[in-house]
Amino acid sequence: MLFPDLSNPDFVEIALLCMLLVYFPFAVYQMYLIIYSMIVTDEKIKAGKRRLERPNNVIVVITTNGMAIDVVEKIIKKIGHYCIASNIFVLKEERDDFEYSCDMITVPSNYTCDNHSRCKMRAMHYGIQVLHEMGYGKETYIVHLDDDSVVDRPYLEYVVTSTRH
């Protein structure tokens, strides 16, 4: 007989026992890694995430092309009600003549980047330069939003209280 009788209960038991014995060291090591991760690694992460004594300076910059004015105003109102961000800016193109209900940075139509970025990347590059000229630096966290996105209160609270790296 070239192949063993697979219907024999002894053969099936021996095969299952072999599989168990082969897998057992891996199972023990896997359990060790899980427990180690839960105890040691999580404690290291928690120790590194202490709340700051002085909160971070957070500003929100909403970049828009001027096509969704009512949406941008709703975003400004919603984020303003959080009372978390120290300032809200709308970064807009020169052709957008709407006066938003927050501080505005207008990108000149003739502005070009060194790397020839276009559209919103061009506007964001200009906005960062203007913010630096206004005195915002490394100590300021900038939450960049598109004109069709919004962040919730817990996210902004996390940004304000997270540890600097």
Side-chain angles (χ1 to χ4, degrees), residues 140-154:
T140 304
Y141 282 74
I142 303 172
V143 177
H144 288 279
L145 297 178
D146 202 1
D147 57 4
D148 59 356
S149 60
V150 68
V151 294
D152 58 359
R153 178 187 296 271

Side-chain angles (χ1 to χ4, degrees), residues 3-18:
F3 296 104
D5 183 15
L6 297 179
S7 63
N8 183 356
D10 294 335
F11 177 76
V12 174
E13 289 175 8
I14 291 172
L16 290 175
L17 182 62
C18 288

Side-chain angles (χ1 to χ4, degrees), residues 115-138:
N115 61 359
H116 305 291
S117 295
R118 297 178 22 224
C119 302
K120 289 200 179 187
M121 290 305 296
R122 173 183 149 274
M124 290 171 75
H125 187 269
Y126 180 80
I128 294 295
Q129 289 179 334
V130 170
L131 290 171
H132 282 284
E133 291 170 6
M134 294 171 68
Y136 292 103
K138 289 190 278 188

Side-chain angles (χ1 to χ4, degrees), residues 103-117:
D103 294 326
M104 294 174 286
I105 301 172
T106 304
V107 182
S109 57
N110 62 351
Y111 176 76
T112 57
C113 298
D114 295 337
N115 61 359
H116 305 291
S117 295

Side-chain angles (χ1 to χ4, degrees), residues 23-41:
Y23 177 71
F24 184 73
F26 295 111
V28 170
Y29 184 64
Q30 190 175 26
M31 288 302 297
Y32 165 76
L33 290 176
I34 291 171
I35 292 169
Y36 181 82
S37 173
M38 288 171 40
I39 295 171
V40 177
T41 308

Side-chain angles (χ1 to χ4, degrees), residues 54-74:
R54 197 179 115 247
N56 294 320
N57 184 29
V58 175
I59 61 173
V60 176
V61 176
I62 305 166
T63 308
T64 183
N65 58 10
M67 304 299 248
I69 294 168
D70 55 336
V71 175
V72 173
E73 280 296 316
K74 286 178 185 176

